[in-house]
């Protein structure tokens, strides 16, 4: 099957020109002007951007959380991602304490198998390195399983949290083999004290989720994880950077030549802590970790994206329905499942706030929503760019079209949208995933099971 995309404005992290793209099978095979080639399908992209498919390296589909599970599985979550212009996700397989990481990977493969409509990969969330064989498993994952990145949690004591020694060990092993450790940076032990104090004082409403997870708890852990990475002699990637205090730790380290990379998420760029004042328990919709911060942090994060102290915008998509799931914490904020939906809205939000809003260039938009994640996580140049030989993951994006975000029209399997009523300029029109049209003029036409698992590369092969 040949597809010819004509007259588009082709934008990558470094290019910006008008031209045509020939897709043959799953790959981009030719770029040029006025290509006169017969094709099975011709798409007119006049007045549209043609950009690399988005890469969201931080999602939680079908993820257990306490007594419940995130509301999007690999079928609904990847369909929603596609509708929003994302053609690759990297989700998290989570090691159960005392159990094998290889078993966890198997579990997550089964969750995705036959369901994903776009390509996907996994980070391994490491929760236990108490046995030597677990370190061996990290090697195995990097060498044989295409899992070249790991997430360790400095928060959630009693479930996911690991201690500093564990982080040091994981970084040392990952670093030796060209893998990368990412860190959920929050001081879990201090937060536990703050939470206990809040509950003892009878403060059980959702806003206390945020008040017991202050900026300093995040910034301290960011700084500590950077120091541990320095001692291990490895790079580190900080997930879901939410506030200026954390960003300054990252910026200072980078200015000193320390290899630190970091992501932020749309919720920290567009939402703020005033959302915790919503009544009728609606504040629970915004309970995620780290929590939303004071509004002034948003421009600082945009500045971080502009200056490349932040490299990636990921979603941390972790949806729970308001009815039946968020409601579990009606009488106690600690029982509210942590997480927010957003996999479908990332590209339009970042385009609107970034490019339309005059904060970043269109090339930088592509870089922070696709190219940088491909490079950092071992998918480039197969993913993250438009070049002959790259996978034909392409988004035809209308930069002038407007859309009002709403749960009534979104494809995510969750009963609210955090950005309800926000108007964005810049809308996904048509999406190709490895050459297959999965979104046509805004309509999802993909099929479950056509997404493939992506083996990712370690640093020496990037
Ligand atoms: O609240 C969040 N972010 N839930 C997902 C798990 C995590 O910490 O990334
Ligand atoms: Zn996290
Ligand atoms: Zn997460």
């Amino acid at each position: 099957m040949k597809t010819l995309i004509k007259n588009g404005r082709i934008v990558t992290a470094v290019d910006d020109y008008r031209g045509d793209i020939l897709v043959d099978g799953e790959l981009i095979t030719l770029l040029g002007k006025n290509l006169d080639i017969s094709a099975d399908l011709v798409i007119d992209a006049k007045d549209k951007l043609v950009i690399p498919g988005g890469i969201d390296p931080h999602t939680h589909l079908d993820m257990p959380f306490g007594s419940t599970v995130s509301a999007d599985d690999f079928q609904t979550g990847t369909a929603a991602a596609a509708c929003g212009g994302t053609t690759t996700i990297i989700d998290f397989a989570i090691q159960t304490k005392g159990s094998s990481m290889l078993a966890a990977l198997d579990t997550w493969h089964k969750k995705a198998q036959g369901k994903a409509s776009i390509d996907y990969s996994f980070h391994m969330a490491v929760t236990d390195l108490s046995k030597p064989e677990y370190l061996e498993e990290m090697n195995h994952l990097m060498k044989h399983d295409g899992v070249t990145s790991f997430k360790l949690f400095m928060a959630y004591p009693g479930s996911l949290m690991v201690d500093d020694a564990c982080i040091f060990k994981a970084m040392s092993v990952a670093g030796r083999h060209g893998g990368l450790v990412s860190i959920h940076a929050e001081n879990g032990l201090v937060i536990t004290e703050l939470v206990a104090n809040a509950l003892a004082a009878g403060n059980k409403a959702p806003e206390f989720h945020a008040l017991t997870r202050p900026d300093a708890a995040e910034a301290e852990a960011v700084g500590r994880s950077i120091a541990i990475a320095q001692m291990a002699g490895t790079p580190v990637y900080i997930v879901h950077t939410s506030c200026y205090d954390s960003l300054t730790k990252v910026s200072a380290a980078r200015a000193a030549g320390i290899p630190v990379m970091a992501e932020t998420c749309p919720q920290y760029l567009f939402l703020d802590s005033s959302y915790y004042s919503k009544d009728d328990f609606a504040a629970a919709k915004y309970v995620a970790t780290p929590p939303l911060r004071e509004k002034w942090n948003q421009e600082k994060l945009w500045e971080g994206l502009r200056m490349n102290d932040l490299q990636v915008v990921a979603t941390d998509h972790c949806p729970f329905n308001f009815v039946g799931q968020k409601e579990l914490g009606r009488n106690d904020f600690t029982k509210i499942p942590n997480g927010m939906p957003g996999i479908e809205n990332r590209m339009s939000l970042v385009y609107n706030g970034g490019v339309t809003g005059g904060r970043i260039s269109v090339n930088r938009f592509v870089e922070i929503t696709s190219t940088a994640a491909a490079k950092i996580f071992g998918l480039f140049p197969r993913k993250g760019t438009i070049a002959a030989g790259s996978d034909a993951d392409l988004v035809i994006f209308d930069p002038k079209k407007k859309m009002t975000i709403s749960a009534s029209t979104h494809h995510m399997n969750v009963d609210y949208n955090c950005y309800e009523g926000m108007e964005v300029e810049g809308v996904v029109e048509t999406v190709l995933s490895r050459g297959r049209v999965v979104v046509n003029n805004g309509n999802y036409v993909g099929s479950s099971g056509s997404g493939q698992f992506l083996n990712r590369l370690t640093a020496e092969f990037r």
Side-chain angles (χ1 to χ4, degrees):
M1 163 97 179
K2 283 188 179 165
T3 302
L4 187 59
I5 303 170
K6 294 214 51 96
N7 303 315
R9 180 177 162 198
I10 299 168
V11 179
T12 70
V14 290
D15 308 300
D16 187 352
Y17 57 94
R18 275 169 220 287
D20 304 341
I21 301 173
L22 182 69
V23 173
D24 193 348
E26 299 190 347
L27 301 179
I28 297 165
T29 52
L30 192 62
L31 300 157
K33 288 234 184 271
N34 306 317
L35 293 181
D36 188 13
I37 294 172
S38 66
D40 306 290
L41 173 67
V42 177
I43 299 174
D44 181 12
K46 188 168 179 303
D47 300 327
K48 310 285 158 53
L49 307 184
V50 186
I51 56 176
I55 299 176
D56 187 344
H58 189 154
T59 66
H60 300 280
L61 303 180
D62 202 353
M63 187 196 80
F65 191 102
S67 62
T68 192
V69 64
S70 60
D72 269 312
D73 65 8
F74 280 81
Q75 183 167 344
T76 59
T78 58
C83 291
T86 289
T87 53
T88 300
I89 59 163
I90 313 180
D91 207 271
F92 294 86
I94 304 176
Q95 178 197 21
T96 304
K97 273 192 204 292
S99 295
S100 151
M101 284 180 233
L102 304 183
L105 181 61
D106 206 42
T107 302
W108 258 263
H109 272 304
K110 288 192 178 113
K111 287 174 189 268
Q113 196 89 47
K115 286 196 167 174
S117 55
I118 56 166
D119 291 350
Y120 59 94
S121 191
F122 297 119
H123 312 276
M124 178 58 62
V126 176
T127 61
D128 187 354
L129 286 179
S130 60
K131 297 181 187 161
E133 60 258 37
Y134 295 155
L135 294 168
E136 278 310 310
E137 288 187 352
M138 288 183 67
N139 284 334
H140 196 282
L141 289 166
M142 289 183 276
K143 279 193 192 141
H144 304 295
D145 299 313
V147 174
T148 56
S149 52
F150 303 87
K151 180 179 180 184
L152 283 88
F153 292 83
M154 299 171 92
Y156 308 127
S159 56
L160 299 170
M161 191 175 110
V162 293
D163 64 18
D164 294 354
C166 181
I167 294 171
F168 177 77
K169 276 195 246 180
M171 285 176 170
S172 304
V173 173
R176 259 200 299 284
H177 299 281
L180 179 64
V181 165
S182 65
I183 294 287
H184 175 128
E186 281 186 307
N187 186 318
L189 296 179
V190 174
I191 288 168
T192 298
E193 287 301 308
L194 293 170
V195 168
N197 294 345
L199 293 178
N203 295 325
K204 298 186 176 171
E207 67 187 282
F208 288 96
H209 171 79
L211 293 172
T212 54
R213 307 185 92 91
D215 303 27
E218 183 182 327
E220 181 279 329
V222 170
R224 182 158 37 102
S225 68
I226 293 171
I228 298 170
Q230 271 188 288
M231 289 185 270
T234 62
V236 61
Y237 178 92
I238 310 293
V239 297
H240 46 47
T241 309
S242 72
C243 60
Y244 180 59
D245 284 3
S246 296
L247 176 59
T248 55
K249 303 275 183 195
V250 173
S251 312
R254 287 177 64 83
I258 300 166
V260 181
M261 294 160 284
E263 69 179 28
T264 188
C265 310
Q267 53 270 35
Y268 307 118
L269 295 167
F270 295 94
L271 310 175
D272 63 76
S273 54
S274 69
Y275 283 67
Y276 296 120
S277 310
K278 288 182 187 281
D279 48 18
D280 294 333
F281 197 60
K285 295 174 179 173
Y286 307 93
V287 166
T289 52
L292 302 178
R293 304 301 190 184
E294 287 179 14
K295 196 169 177 56
W296 62 268
N297 288 278
Q298 294 174 356
E299 278 313 319
K300 300 289 186 188
L301 295 175
W302 279 110
E303 179 70 4
L305 287 167
R306 191 163 49 241
M307 299 306 289
N308 201 36
D309 283 328
L310 297 169
Q311 292 75 40
V312 172
V313 181
T315 58
D316 194 8
H317 176 74
C318 191
F320 295 101
N321 285 307
F322 180 71
V323 176
Q325 293 193 296
K326 290 287 186 181
E327 283 180 337
L328 292 167
R330 262 209 188 269
N331 302 317
D332 175 353
F333 71 89
T334 64
K335 306 271 187 319
I336 301 169
N338 288 192
M340 282 188 234
I343 203 167
E344 187 169 349
N345 304 118
R346 180 180 69 122
M347 301 289 277
S348 284
L349 282 167
V350 177
Y351 186 87
N352 184 71
V355 183
T356 310
R359 295 181 174 97
I360 56 172
S361 71
V362 70
N363 300 103
R364 185 68 182 150
F365 163 69
V366 170
E367 195 164 25
I368 63 179
T369 56
S370 179
T371 316
K375 289 184 176 173
I376 291 168
F377 293 109
L379 291 168
F380 190 84
R382 179 174 176 191
K383 306 288 189 187
T385 194
I386 299 177
S390 294
D391 280 357
D393 288 1
L394 295 164
V395 176
I396 295 152
F397 189 86
D398 189 336
K400 289 287 161 222
K401 191 168 171 183
K402 294 184 177 165
M403 176 182 84
T404 301
I405 296 175
S406 174
S408 63
T409 48
H410 76 201
H411 299 78
M412 299 180 287
N413 186 36
V414 59
D415 62 3
Y416 72 97
N417 191 302
C418 296
Y419 309 97
E420 186 71 36
M422 273 190 200
E423 188 183 73
V424 285
E425 187 176 274
V427 174
V428 170
E429 188 176 274
T430 293
V431 179
L432 277 71
S433 164
R434 267 185 297 102
R436 288 165 292 109
V437 175
V438 290
V439 176
N440 187 17
N441 279 316
N443 299 309
Y444 176 70
V445 293
S447 55
S448 303
S450 51
Q452 279 179 3
F453 174 73
L454 298 167
N455 283 299
R456 291 180 292 114
L457 303 173
T458 50
E460 57 263 44
F461 297 109
R462 285 177 208 162

